[in-house]
Amino acid sequence: MIESRVSQPVPEYVPAHGLLAGRRVVVTAAAGAGIGAAAARRCLEEGAALVVLGDTHAGRLESSAAELGAEFGADRVRWAVCDVTVEDQVEALLDLAEDAGGVDVMINNAGLGGTVSILEMTDDQWSKVLDVTLTGTFRSVRAASRRMVRNDVKGVIINNASVIGWRAQEGQAHYAAAKAGVMALTRSVALDVAPYGIRVNAVSPSLAMHPFLAKVTSDELLEQLTSREAFGRAAEPWEIANVMVFLASGYSSYMTGEVVSVSSQQA
């Protein structure tokens, strides 16, 4: 029996400290109101010279880029439609940062979920989730790593994993396998690129609520997940983005190959 927790209030938004001054950042799945969008905004607030947004939803992507450009300067925001299952689109997204001098920070946020029992799961459902969530992260990590090495950039790569990579949840076999794979990928790749001064880490959130997710999350599941959290509530997307900024900044200069939990649901 899970004991219900009293929901704690959302803390005040943390002011910026220029942690990413001058950095060029690429963020996948950055349109809308989720973690990717929050990460893009947070990087700009922290002084990034350029943030490149990628997403499969062209309309939302263009709107997000226009909003950020109006607030932070159009010269600091670029965008391109990017499906991480298509290598050419990943390369084209990174080209936008390359044109401005190269990629300093790559935030791989793209992922695909879904709920289906293994008893009904099809090969197509399994493959689609794995291709976006795990193989898409691999493609993005590989492309960013190669460019950082070629340009002698001691950059940072941040992957979005999930606590489901550690713990079990009914109907999530494909997503759990993919996110556990992202964790393993992060640890191994970190060793591959450490000789070049590149750091690779991951964040592992549970539930970061935003309007789009609220539409597809049942009240029952939301209550179940939030009741397990120490603070009795879902995370705000910007709270996950704050950890991504920390990992992208010099404050984490000796961290690589780590998966940082942003949840109390590791098990």
Side-chain angles (χ1 to χ4, degrees), residues 112-121 125-126 129 164 167-177 221:
L112 178 67
T115 301
V116 58
S117 167
I118 196 67
L119 300 175
E120 287 83 38
M121 188 179 296
Q125 287 172 316
W126 170 271
V129 168
I164 286 181
R167 65 165 176 79
Q169 185 170 316
E170 185 180 2
Q172 297 293 315
H174 47 0
Y175 189 65
L221 179 58

Side-chain angles (χ1 to χ4, degrees), residues 1-5 223-229 265:
M1 182 73 176
I2 298 172
E3 182 181 350
S4 180
R5 297 180 184 274
E223 182 179 357
Q224 179 187 20
L225 293 176
T226 55
S227 68
R228 291 176 175 174
E229 289 293 346
Q265 293 191 57

Side-chain angles (χ1 to χ4, degrees), residues 104-215:
D104 296 302
V105 179
M106 181 79 196
I107 299 178
N108 296 311
N109 179 61
L112 178 67
T115 301
V116 58
S117 167
I118 196 67
L119 300 175
E120 287 83 38
M121 188 179 296
T122 65
D123 283 8
D124 183 63
Q125 287 172 316
W126 170 271
S127 297
K128 190 171 184 179
V129 168
L130 268 289
D131 196 18
V132 174
T133 308
L134 177 55
T135 310
T137 300
F138 153 73
R139 291 186 188 97
S140 301
V141 168
R142 180 179 61 186
S145 296
R146 286 174 172 173
R147 288 164 186 259
M148 289 174 182
V149 170
R150 184 173 68 235
N151 296 328
D152 193 26
V153 172
K154 293 175 172 54
V156 182
I157 297 171
I158 301 160
N159 299 324
N160 194 356
S162 169
V163 293
I164 286 181
W166 281 315
R167 65 165 176 79
Q169 185 170 316
E170 185 180 2
Q172 297 293 315
H174 47 0
Y175 189 65
K179 289 299 189 179
V182 169
M183 293 178 181
L185 174 72
T186 298
R187 290 188 288 265
S188 295
V189 168
L191 299 182
D192 290 341
V193 299
Y196 303 96
I198 300 168
R199 298 188 293 111
V200 186
N201 292 293
V203 298
S204 183
S206 172
L207 185 67
M209 188 52 64
H210 55 85
F212 296 114
L213 184 58
K215 290 180 181 179

Side-chain angles (χ1 to χ4, degrees), residues 47-69:
L50 175 69
V51 174
V52 179
L53 315 178
D55 204 286
T56 57
H57 300 279
R60 290 210 302 258
L61 181 59
E62 185 174 9
S63 177
S64 295
E67 179 182 338
L68 292 173

Side-chain angles (χ1 to χ4, degrees), residues 17-33:
H17 292 84
L19 297 181
L20 301 182
R23 300 291 186 90
R24 294 151 303 203
V25 183
V26 177
V27 187
T28 63

